[in-house]
Amino acid sequence: MHCHQDLVSFFSCGLILAGVWHLVYHRKSQSSYGRYMACPPARMVPARLAWFLQEMPAFIIPLLLMLTTHKSTIMGKYLLLTTFCVHYFQRTFVYSLLMKGKPFPLSVMVTAGLFCSLNGFLQGHYLLHCAQFDDEWFTGYCFKIGLLLFYIGMAINIHSDFILRNLRKPKEVIYKIPTGGLFEYVSGANYLGEIVEWFGYAVANWSFPALSFALFTLCFIGPRAYYHHRFYLEKFKDYPKFRKALVPFIF
């Protein structure tokens, strides 16, 4: 397959515009799923099944592209794309099977699945058919620092999800204040971890598609951290006042 640079640029710009639109559209209220779902729609999907189905394309599509593409002599491309797949393997086959969330609206699941399909193709196609790296790039500081940030962010994300998952006892439906890890400093520690992941990926990749995905992630889940923080402050009078929403000591 040849590089479709115009298509890559179009989809990358689309990710940024979609992120900005979401940021503006939801500046006063959050997407209607989870704790912000006031009136459940008629068509709902169990949380584990919904998360499994919506995240899977972002793992399967890049994997299929790698398996059906002639092997490049620059193995760093495959390392970067494998890093992308590692995240979505964890989200598809580990996180989704352990989560205890509320059922998802079918429309949210379908939209998320379409996004993961598009982004999986975008990142995979760019790295395998468009990216131009020399061998020195993969021994340079940007590549190493980017991968380090990615795996630090992933560790924060997984640990924070573990804390959230174990807040409640079986069959409990009440909300509790999360403690431990980066939750001692921010209300959205799990979101902070994922944002760090994708900005690390963008640094290691040093490409427009990777940067556009990182910016989309920031615009999409950054506000959710803010609304979680506001929710905790309103619900719990003893909520730690020094705790920030997303960035320790700052915001």
Side-chain angles (χ1 to χ4, degrees):
M1 184 184 293
H2 297 291
C3 170
H4 298 282
Q5 188 61 55
D6 290 342
L7 193 62
V8 168
S9 298
F10 176 79
F11 283 148
S12 298
C13 290
L15 282 184
I16 295 175
L17 292 175
V20 172
W21 175 85
H22 183 275
L23 190 65
V24 173
Y25 185 78
H26 293 284
R27 67 187 183 278
K28 294 183 179 180
S29 63
Q30 264 301 287
S31 301
S32 183
Y33 65 93
R35 70 186 67 181
Y36 305 106
M37 188 167 52
C39 183
R43 296 181 178 180
M44 301 289 286
V45 183
R48 291 182 178 180
L49 178 62
W51 202 272
F52 179 83
L53 292 176
Q54 73 184 33
E55 300 290 300
M56 184 183 288
F59 171 72
I60 293 294
I61 291 174
L63 181 62
L64 289 176
L65 288 174
M66 283 193 286
L67 293 175
T68 57
T69 298
H70 177 70
K71 294 292 183 182
S72 169
T73 56
I74 302 177
M75 295 307 296
K77 292 183 177 184
Y78 292 89
L79 177 59
L80 283 170
L81 194 52
T82 299
T83 299
F84 179 88
C85 290
V86 164
H87 170 88
Y88 281 102
F89 177 88
Q90 194 276 333
R91 303 302 274 181
T92 303
F93 298 103
V94 180
Y95 175 77
S96 67
L97 301 180
L98 296 175
M99 71 180 305
K100 302 175 182 178
K102 297 179 180 179
F104 269 38
L106 177 63
S107 59
V108 172
M109 185 199 78
V110 171
T111 303
L114 290 174
F115 170 81
C116 286
S117 300
L118 170 63
N119 190 48
F121 174 79
L122 174 63
Q123 304 301 329
H125 176 75
Y126 173 79
L127 276 173
L128 295 175
H129 301 290
C130 302
Q132 299 293 327
F133 297 111
D134 55 39
D135 292 332
E136 293 180 358
W137 175 257
F138 301 104
T139 60
Y141 288 111
C142 281
F143 181 74
K144 293 176 181 177
I145 291 172
L147 285 186
L148 179 62
L149 285 174
F150 178 90
Y151 285 107
I152 287 174
M154 187 173 184
I156 293 170
N157 182 252
I158 292 173
H159 181 247
S160 301
D161 285 337
F162 173 81
I163 291 173
L164 292 174
R165 199 164 50 241
N166 290 279
L167 272 180
R168 302 171 183 168
K169 296 178 182 179
K171 298 184 179 180
E172 272 191 332
V173 293
I174 60 173
Y175 285 101
K176 295 182 178 180
I177 299 174
T179 58
L182 279 180
F183 281 115
E184 297 296 327
Y185 303 97
V186 294
S187 299
N190 51 330
Y191 299 130
L192 172 61
E194 187 159 354
I195 290 169
V196 170
E197 268 189 84
W198 294 123
F199 273 95
Y201 178 77
V203 171
N205 207 318
W206 209 255
S207 71
F208 187 35
L211 176 62
S212 67
F213 179 38
L215 291 173
F216 175 87
T217 302
L218 177 63
C219 292
F220 192 84
I221 63 178
R224 203 160 181 87
Y226 167 77
Y227 281 101
H228 277 21
H229 184 66
R230 193 174 73 174
F231 171 86
Y232 287 130
L233 288 173
E234 293 173 352
K235 189 172 184 64
F236 301 104
K237 293 182 179 179
D238 59 339
Y239 196 71
K241 301 301 180 184
F242 63 85
R243 191 177 295 187
K244 300 298 184 180
L246 184 65
V247 183
F249 313 114
I250 299 175
F251 172 75

